[in-house]
Amino acid sequence: MIVSTKGRYALRVMIDLAERRTDRYTPLKEIAARQGISEKYLENILKTLVQHGLLQGLRGKGGGYRLTRPAGQYRISDILLLTEGSLAPVACLEPGAAACARAADCRTYGLWRGLDEAIRSYLDRVTLADLARPDQAGDSYVI
């Protein structure tokens, strides 16, 4: 499993907004500048996050984006599943995947299923609030 740029940027944006949690809307231009992400690319990501209720968007003067709920109520797994579609480590575990012709003889299925469950379980336990804490900069998370 490799998390795409879209998934990584979505997390960065959500953390950015969680760190600056206010009632005001944060303009796209400000988020893009802080995160070093192209406004055009960021606009597509934000559109997805708004459509699925993770963010509120407001156009015009004083407009921008803000979280719809407290940061502790966002699971990282939900954000990544929204942007990635799947976190499965192999194709046979993807949602809606066709049955594998080798399933009955597959010696590695249990391995991949266990890895899938470990990834999901870990990402279900981490919230946006966990990542937005000032002491979480860098690589201090250990699996």
Side-chain angles (χ1 to χ4, degrees):
M1 173 198 72
I2 294 179
V3 177
S4 71
T5 303
K6 184 177 182 180
R8 293 191 320 269
Y9 285 3
L11 283 178
R12 285 173 44 189
V13 167
M14 296 293 286
I15 293 166
D16 185 286
L17 292 171
E19 288 174 334
R20 291 159 182 81
R21 181 71 188 208
T22 67
D23 288 334
R24 81 172 187 86
Y25 288 86
T26 303
L28 169 76
K29 185 175 244 171
E30 285 181 23
I31 300 167
R34 280 194 300 265
Q35 295 303 316
I37 303 171
S38 123
E39 288 182 39
K40 186 147 182 82
Y41 189 56
L42 186 56
E43 196 169 21
N44 290 327
I45 294 169
L46 291 169
K47 180 180 178 183
T48 299
L49 297 172
V50 168
Q51 286 174 339
H52 289 88
L54 276 66
L55 296 178
Q56 285 180 324
L58 180 67
R59 293 184 176 270
K61 186 174 179 170
Y65 299 88
R66 67 180 182 191
L67 300 178
T68 57
R69 55 189 186 264
Q73 293 180 10
Y74 291 90
R75 294 183 313 178
I76 298 309
S77 58
D78 294 332
I79 298 167
L80 289 176
L81 283 170
L82 175 64
T83 56
E84 298 298 312
S86 171
L87 299 174
V90 291
C92 64
L93 294 174
E94 295 275 339
C100 176
R102 298 183 41 88
D105 299 319
C106 185
R107 301 286 181 125
T108 60
Y109 180 79
L111 168 81
W112 300 128
R113 170 58 82 200
L115 178 59
D116 187 46
E117 290 170 3
I119 290 168
R120 179 66 66 96
S121 174
Y122 176 71
L123 294 175
D124 280 349
R125 290 190 317 262
V126 182
T127 69
L128 192 55
D130 295 329
L131 298 181
R133 291 191 341 239
D135 63 333
Q136 289 305 310
D139 61 349
S140 58
Y141 259 97
V142 177
I143 297 177

